[in-house]
């Protein structure tokens, strides 16, 4: 039956439907989104070079790309001031600011659990090293 409207069948073939949060995850958890949003939330309105300096490890090209995407997604507001020289400022939007509780919760989770994650990694690596050595003998 071609063109089925069965939601379960659609979810089985379309990962976006299988996980309705995937769109949010794509927006919020892209590699540079979190540091940009966090910095703008913490420091308020910033010029490009200020934002770049505060983040530290991002290239201008990547920062430009992420800011454009975040502006498109409604997370960041770009304000152009037609002065000489022109001035552009970025700030987190109300929509972006509404994510603050999510970031706060993630921060709490990280504080409570990253040591456990690191221990699990060490345990796994130790076991993997042992299994590799055992497989060679």
């Amino acid at each position: 039956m071609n063109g089925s409207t069965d939601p379960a069948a659609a979810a089985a073939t379309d990962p976006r439907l299988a996980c309705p949060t995937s769109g949010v995850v794509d927006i919020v958890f892209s590699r540079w989104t979190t540091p940009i949003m966090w910095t703008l939330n913490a420091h308020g309105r910033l010029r490009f070079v200020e934002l770049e300096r505060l983040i530290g490890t991002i290239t201008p090209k990547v920062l430009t790309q992420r800011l454009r995407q975040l502006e498109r997604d409604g997370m960041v507001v770009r304000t152009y001031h037609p002065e000489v020289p022109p001035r552009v400022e970025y700030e987190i939007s109300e929509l972006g600011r509404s994510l603050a509780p999510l970031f706060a919760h993630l921060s709490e989770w990280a504080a409570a659990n990253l040591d456990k994650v690191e221990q699990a990694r060490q345990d796994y690596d130790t076991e993997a090293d042992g299994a590799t050595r055992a497989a060679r003998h």
Side-chain angles (χ1 to χ4, degrees):
M1 177 191 248
N2 213 358
S4 172
T5 58
D6 177 23
T13 58
D14 187 344
R16 293 170 298 170
L17 296 174
C19 181
T21 63
S22 64
V24 173
V25 170
D26 289 345
I27 293 168
V28 177
F29 297 110
S30 298
R31 169 66 178 103
W32 290 105
T33 298
T34 304
I36 292 168
M37 299 280 287
W38 190 281
T39 303
L40 289 173
N41 191 53
H43 296 276
R45 184 178 300 139
L46 294 170
R47 295 178 75 169
F48 183 92
V49 73
E50 295 169 321
L51 183 56
E52 182 183 20
R53 187 174 33 250
L54 287 167
I55 294 172
T57 56
I58 192 169
T59 66
K61 178 183 177 183
V62 171
L63 180 56
T64 298
Q65 290 170 341
R66 290 308 311 149
L67 284 169
R68 285 183 183 155
Q69 186 62 49
L70 289 168
E71 183 183 9
R72 182 174 181 258
D73 292 339
M75 300 292 143
V76 167
V77 175
R78 179 184 183 270
T79 304
Y80 174 79
H81 300 278
E83 305 168 347
V84 179
R87 182 169 48 102
V88 178
E89 297 174 318
Y90 297 90
E91 63 185 308
I92 194 167
S93 69
E94 285 302 315
L95 181 60
R97 194 169 280 109
S98 71
L99 290 169
L102 172 65
F103 286 124
H105 187 72
L106 286 171
S107 180
E108 291 169 10
W109 185 91
N113 293 293
L114 282 182
D115 288 344
K116 296 172 190 166
V117 171
E118 186 56 38
Q119 184 61 53
R121 288 174 177 168
Q122 289 175 8
D123 294 348
Y124 179 90
D125 292 346
T126 300
E127 290 173 17
D129 287 345
T132 301
R133 282 191 296 272
R136 281 190 254 162
H137 295 293

